[in-house]
Amino acid sequence: MELIGPYLIGCVLLVGAGASKVVRPDDTARALLPLVPPRLRRVVAFGALRTSVRLLAAVEVALGVLGLLLPRPLTGALVAASYFAFAGVSAYARSQGGALASCGCFGAPDTPATYLHVAIDLVLGGAAVAVAVGVPTTGWLVTALAGQPLRGLPLAALTAVGAAMTYLALSGLSRLHAVRLSMATPSRSR
């Protein structure tokens, strides 16, 4: 359970990002629309994509909560699968023509996908795999924290700080990267 900290950070981010997308699914739906194959775009209505985003975001919240409360092999494997899927979507989007206008991670319009997204998703997915293979098949988070110093209080505090810093890396640094790229492109003079 050496990687329980990054795993918990991943679960907290699933809850936060999922909750944001449940409330504001439009930006994520817009971000995903270009990833739909061109021949299917006429068939896939934006409203259906928006509803799908909202439903999948609710599943994301539930998975994050379950992963936090029950760090077990099954929940660890599901958390890992979700992060590997996120990494795949981000990598595919980047390969199709650069950064998305929005990755939609946190339901916000100004979070472009970068390779940092892919790297963070892979690290969090790897931590979840480590938890999936290294935790007992029974027990709650409280059980896991009981063996930690000060009953897990430092781990909980570091998880909160780590989740906040990862959020900033995924949102704030991505926005700065987008601004830097927009300033680097020469503007046309008339």
Side-chain angles (χ1 to χ4, degrees):
M1 294 242 299
E2 290 80 19
L3 293 177
I4 191 74
Y7 168 80
L8 294 175
I9 289 169
C11 290
V12 168
L13 290 172
L14 284 176
V15 173
S20 294
K21 288 180 278 202
V22 166
V23 174
R24 293 184 314 264
D26 290 359
D27 293 313
T28 303
R30 271 189 222 97
L32 292 175
L33 196 56
L35 302 181
V36 174
R39 66 173 189 257
L40 295 178
R41 283 189 201 150
R42 289 173 288 192
V43 179
V44 176
F46 182 76
L49 190 56
R50 184 178 182 265
T51 300
S52 297
V53 166
R54 187 169 268 154
L55 290 172
L56 288 171
V59 170
E60 188 178 347
V61 170
L63 177 58
V65 169
L66 276 173
L68 279 170
L69 295 177
L70 301 169
R72 296 182 181 171
L74 178 60
T75 52
L78 292 172
V79 168
S82 70
Y83 275 105
F84 291 143
F86 295 149
V89 168
S90 294
Y92 177 76
R94 295 282 301 160
S95 74
Q96 294 303 304
L100 291 167
S102 171
C103 72
C105 297
F106 298 98
D110 54 358
T111 310
T114 64
Y115 285 116
L116 180 62
H117 280 74
V118 177
I120 288 174
D121 289 340
L122 290 174
V123 167
L124 294 176
V129 167
V131 167
V133 298
V135 296
T137 56
T138 60
W140 291 71
L141 177 62
V142 175
T143 309
L145 292 179
Q148 296 287 323
L150 296 175
R151 312 257 325 137
L153 188 59
L155 177 62
L158 287 173
T159 296
V161 170
M165 293 181 76
T166 305
Y167 168 78
L168 288 174
L170 291 172
S171 61
L173 285 178
S174 296
R175 281 181 284 209
L176 288 173
H177 178 69
V179 168
R180 184 182 64 85
L181 288 177
S182 69
M183 293 176 80
T185 57
S187 61
R188 291 183 170 171
S189 57
R190 295 183 184 218

